[in-house]
Structure formats: C-alpha cells, structure tokens
Amino acid sequence: MIRFRNLAEAERVAKRRLPRAIWLAVKAGNEQGWTLDENVRAFSELGFSPTVFDRPTNFDLSARVLGIDVEFPVLVSPVGAQAIHPDGEVGVARAAARAGTAIGLSSWSSDSVADVARANDSTIFQLYWVGSRPEIEARVEAARAAGAKALIVTLDWSFTPRRDWGVPPAPPSDRSISTLARLAPHALSRPGWLMGYLRRGRIPELRVPNLVTLDGRVPYFGKAWADFEATPPPTWDDVKWLRDLWGGPFMVKGISTVRDAKLCVDLGADAISLSNHGGNNIDGTPSPLRQLPYLVDAVGDQVDVMVDGGIRRGSDVVKAVALGAKAVFIGRAFLYGLAAGGEEGVYQVLQVLRNGIRETMYGIGRGSLSELSRDDLLLLNPHFFVPPTR
C-alpha cells in the first residue's frame, strides 16, 4: 500500500504514475501558469508566531458549512473527470466519508451523483450552466432524488484553456476506433496505470453521467463540452431561478469581487466560494487568499465564505480560517492522492491536512477554529492584501 507523509510526496508519486497528458490536465493552469503558482505562493507570504505557554490539549476542528457538519474545515472540491484512477469519484467519496467530511461532486464527474451520494451522505452537487433550463432542471431534480445535501453553481470558467507548455489532447467525444487509437499511446506509456483499470474489467473513459440529456443519453466529455461552449452564460435572473428551484442550501463558486458577493447575497445564496478555478480562469488573477478579508468584511455576516486554490498543508487551512473563511475546498491536493493510491491515497491526503491543522493550532496556542483570528498571522509581505477593484 502506498504511503506518503506530505502532499509533496503524493504529487511526486502521481506524476510518476499518470500518463503525461493526464498529468498535465491535472497539474497545469492557464497560459503561463502565473495564477497557478500565485495560489501557492500567497500562503508562503503569511506566517505565525508560535507560543510555548498555554498550549491546548484538546482541539475542536469541527465546522458547519451549507448545513453540513464536518469534522475539520476541509471539503473535497468538485473536480471534473476523475477517471485518473479506477476508484474514481466513488472512491473519493468513501475516503471523505471515512475522514468525516463532505464531497463536492462536479457535473463533469465520471460517476453519477446517485452512486457518489450512496458512498457519502454529505454529497454536495455542483452544477454548470449547460444546455436549456429544462435540462438543467432535470439535473437538479436528479441530484435531489439522489440525496444531495446542497447545490453549488460554478460560474468562474472563462474558456481560456491555453497553456504555454502545450495542451493535452481533448477528452473524447465518442468511443470510436479512431478515438481509441489516438489515445492509446498515452495509456500505453504508463502500463501500470492502464493495468489498474484492466484488472477491474474496464477502460478509462470519460462519459459524464450527470449531464445526461432529456432523452436519457449519457454523453462523452467532448460532446458535453461542446454543448457547454454553445450555451449562453447565465444571468443573475438565471441563477436566482436556479436558487429558487433548488430551495435548499446553495453556494455560488468563483467569486472574487465585493460586488459579485453582494449580488449573491441578494439572490439568496447561503454561501460563496472565492476561487479562480485553481489557476484555470484568467491567468494573472491574484490568489483568493489576498482578497478573502475584504469579502468576509463585506458579506461574512450574511453568508458562509469559503476559499480554494493552492492549499497544500494544514497550516494553509489555518491561515485561511484565520482570515475569515468558514472552511476550504481542496482540488489538486486530493487528486494527487487519488492518482497515487486511489481511495486510500485520498484518505491519507485528508489525514495529512487534518494533522497539520491540529499541529499548527497547537503551536500557536489555539484549541478551536473559533479562536483563530487575523491576529494569529504575520505579514511577511507588507503588500500581501489586494483589495478587490469592484
């Protein structure tokens, strides 16, 4: 069984195991990758002042987000196409359940919301605005029937998937001989990875069951993506309609301005997530961490404020919570664990983060998340905070 002591080890193992094209799809951000690096860099510009007296002996790491109680403030982010290991999203869901936390499930996932919700009863379904309102309504009702506890609408994708180091082959639009021939060299370059699938009697493919059409067809990723690109972006009224349709706990993901945060409050959102899509929105966007305090001050008493991007250690989670986040989402961090060791690898990632949170809080003399504040942080860069321009 694979073991690793930190996420850097998990990342190295994942890189060795995955075919190069898949690794690039997991790792890379947009264009030159400035924002991808910035998301990680921002955490290194905040520090702590450890104490040696009055250190806690008990810790309360629990949080409540979107009406869901979690044992520590780390949730699995909705990430599309987790066909990087045969365990897929169901394995990730099981790992999150074992760790005592929730999973956000993407519309672009390889496993259905029904299967994932059976594996983790704290499943949050993430919806992209793809297709017509009747199609979107059918997906919302499928998530409700499956037992999803909350709904996320993600709005921060800008269709700019250009990468200076090259773009991996587009996900398949079918299962034709020509498609299999085009992708076969990538799979054969990592025979161990491919054999992991074959031993389970399956091949890695990218159908997207949560984007099923009204006539019951399950499209391949490429076809669904073409439909996404052809769909006009949602208006504020569309998102309000979606919020009213769902009726339960509702989050808007991808917020980076005070104006947008206040609009989310106006439409009745219960939570917002500050995000630049893990460096895959507009390259040159600052880390959400730098803007977090401003948005917390603006709307934090009205909605739960979450953040994602660049979290690689438990101390990163403590920094985000100290700046006002209710909890964080992790994306690449758990994908490294999934690629390295399937369900068990994801569970190990979550345990590494949980232990890091507890160790950091011990070092700064805080026994519960509610005790954390901005006073616990040191600014190592006097220009760290970036006020939103709007």
Side-chain angles (χ1 to χ4, degrees):
M1 181 181 295
I2 187 71
R3 292 287 182 188
F4 42 81
R5 295 164 296 177
N6 53 55
L7 269 63
E9 289 184 8
E11 181 177 353
R12 288 192 291 269
V13 174
K15 184 177 181 179
R16 288 198 306 268
R17 293 197 170 188
L18 291 177
R20 183 174 184 274
I22 296 177
W23 169 250
L24 286 178
V26 169
K27 174 67 176 177
N30 272 0
E31 296 186 330
Q32 67 176 337
W34 185 92
T35 294
L36 174 67
D37 294 338
E38 153 71 0
N39 284 351
V40 176
R41 180 171 56 247
F43 285 96
S44 71
E45 296 178 5
L46 289 176
F48 300 103
S49 289
T51 183
V52 295
F53 294 111
D54 300 322
R55 285 179 166 175
T57 56
N58 296 300
F59 298 90
D60 180 8
L61 306 185
S62 63
R64 184 173 177 83
V65 180
L66 288 168
I68 299 171
D69 292 315
V70 294
E71 293 182 11
F72 63 118
V74 177
L75 283 70
V76 172
S77 185
V79 177
Q82 291 172 34
I84 61 175
H85 187 281
D87 286 354
E89 288 88 357
V90 169
V92 175
R94 288 194 295 257
R98 288 168 57 195
T101 193
I103 177 175
L105 182 72
S106 173
S107 294
W108 302 93
S109 66
S110 304
D111 291 328
S112 72
V113 62
D115 289 342
V116 169
R118 279 192 289 270
N120 188 324
D121 62 7
S122 294
T123 293
I124 305 168
F125 184 63
Q126 176 229 35
L127 187 136
Y128 275 79
W129 195 264
V130 183
S132 64
R133 276 197 179 187
E135 290 173 312
I136 292 168
E137 182 172 358
R139 294 166 195 149
V140 169
E141 295 308 325
R144 194 194 313 276
K149 295 297 191 295
L151 187 73
I152 298 172
V153 58
T154 291
L155 304 178
D156 62 336
W157 185 259
S158 58
F159 299 101
T160 55
R162 293 176 293 276
R163 293 164 174 168
D164 289 6
W165 45 86
V167 179
S173 298
D174 55 36
R175 200 176 179 179
S176 65
I177 296 297
S178 62
T179 295
L180 294 176
R182 176 171 61 88
L183 298 177
H186 300 282
L188 294 174
S189 70
R190 292 293 187 272
W193 174 80
L194 180 60
M195 285 303 300
Y197 278 91
L198 298 181
R199 279 194 293 269
R200 300 197 190 186
R202 56 188 297 196
I203 63 172
E205 62 178 354
L206 291 179
R207 289 181 183 270
V208 280
N210 295 313
L211 290 175
V212 62
T213 60
L214 288 177
D215 60 6
R217 290 179 294 109
V218 178
Y220 278 86
F221 194 105
K223 173 61 171 65
W225 191 261
D227 292 342
F228 181 34
E229 290 182 312
T231 302
T235 64
W236 186 92
D237 287 334
D238 288 328
V239 180
K240 179 67 164 59
W241 167 81
L242 180 64
R243 195 270 170 275
D244 292 342
L245 173 66
W246 173 249
F250 184 81
M251 172 184 284
V252 180
K253 182 177 181 293
I255 301 303
S256 61
T257 71
V258 170
R259 175 182 179 273
D260 285 351
K262 290 181 176 180
L263 287 172
C264 291
V265 171
D266 291 343
L267 63 81
D270 302 287
I272 60 173
S273 181
L274 279 63
S275 177
N276 53 42
H277 218 96
N280 281 295
N281 192 347
I282 300 173
D283 201 26
T285 304
S287 164
L289 197 70
R290 300 186 191 276
Q291 299 177 327
L292 176 59
Y294 298 98
L295 274 74
V296 168
D297 290 346
V299 300
D301 60 341
Q302 300 170 82
V303 294
D304 291 343
V305 179
M306 301 274 288
V307 70
D308 68 59
I311 294 157
R312 300 292 184 270
R313 305 171 177 78
S315 58
D316 295 341
V317 180
V318 174
K319 291 172 184 178
V321 175
L323 288 177
K326 181 62 69 72
V328 305
F329 280 116
I330 58 167
R332 287 183 182 85
F334 85 82
L335 289 178
Y336 297 154
L338 179 64
E343 175 187 337
E344 184 60 28
V346 176
Y347 180 73
Q348 287 187 43
V349 163
L350 291 169
Q351 292 303 99
V352 166
L353 292 172
R354 188 207 300 260
N355 291 337
I357 295 169
R358 186 166 49 243
E359 292 157 4
T360 303
M361 292 179 64
Y362 175 80
I364 63 175
R366 303 299 186 196
S368 69
L369 300 182
S370 62
E371 296 175 17
L372 294 172
S373 74
R374 299 169 198 177
D375 292 338
D376 293 310
L377 302 176
L378 291 175
L379 284 180
L380 305 181
N381 172 5
H383 305 292
F384 176 85
F385 294 112
V386 179
T389 57
R390 287 177 289 167

